[in-house]
Amino acid sequence: MTQLSSQDRAADWLSGAGLRPTKQRLALADLLVGDGKNRHVTAESLFASAKGHGESVSLATVYNTLRAFCDAGLVQEVTVDGSKSYFDTNMHDHPHFYWEDEGRLTDASADDLVIAALPDAPEGMEIAKVDVVIRLRRS
C-alpha cells in the first residue's frame, strides 16, 4: 500500500469538499492536513507557518481561505472570546480546552461530557451546533 504525500493528502482533502485546488489553497491545506494530523490554528498562526515555509500568501488570503474551508465543511471555527477564533481540522463533535495562560486550544475528551438538556430554540429557529470550550488557567 502506497503512502500519500502531504501534497496529495491536501489535494484530496480539497477535492473531497469540491474546492478548486488553487496554489494558495493547496499550500495552506498542506500545512493544515498534509501530515494527516488534526490541528487548531488561528489565521495569524497559519499565516506565520506559511511564511516560514516560503509561501507567498497574504494574511487576507489566509482569512479568506479559512472561511472557504469552513463553508466547505473542512474546518470548524471555534471562538474562544469575542475577538479570537481558532480553526479546527477535527470535524467530529468534541469539546475543547482553552489554555488561557498560553492562548492555546486543544481537543478535550468527549467521554465524560454529558449535556443533559438544552434550552428550546426560539420560534422559527433550530439549534445548529453546540460548542463546548472549557477554559483552563493555573491554580
Side-chain angles (χ1 to χ4, degrees):
M1 174 150 87
T2 60
Q3 186 118 6
L4 285 178
S5 73
S6 65
Q7 290 91 3
D8 288 341
R9 188 175 289 113
D12 287 352
W13 189 64
L14 292 173
S15 66
L19 285 179
R20 191 167 53 91
T22 65
K23 180 179 185 248
Q24 291 173 322
R25 282 181 181 165
L26 278 169
L28 296 175
D30 189 10
L31 292 170
L32 286 170
V33 301
D35 63 2
K37 297 177 182 173
N38 284 312
R39 58 189 27 90
H40 303 89
V41 300
T42 62
E44 292 79 9
S45 70
L46 184 57
F47 173 71
S49 182
K51 287 295 188 189
H53 283 85
E55 298 296 336
S56 176
V57 62
S58 70
L59 182 57
T61 296
V62 172
Y63 272 105
N64 291 336
T65 301
L66 285 169
R67 179 64 40 223
F69 289 175
C70 280
D71 292 346
L74 292 172
V75 299
Q76 60 179 319
E77 184 175 10
V78 180
T79 304
V80 295
D81 61 35
S83 63
K84 188 147 193 162
S85 289
Y86 288 81
F87 297 88
D88 186 0
T89 58
N90 179 352
M91 295 301 293
H92 296 95
D93 286 336
H94 63 284
H96 290 95
F97 285 129
Y98 179 65
W99 305 75
E100 289 183 337
D101 298 336
E102 302 170 32
R104 182 169 60 99
L105 190 74
T106 60
D107 289 341
S109 172
D111 293 343
D112 296 324
L113 178 67
V114 177
I115 299 175
L118 294 172
D120 291 334
E123 188 171 331
M125 302 301 293
E126 67 180 9
I127 296 172
K129 184 179 175 196
V130 175
D131 290 325
V132 176
V133 177
I134 303 158
R135 300 175 77 94
L136 304 173
R137 72 173 69 112
R138 297 209 184 281
S139 53

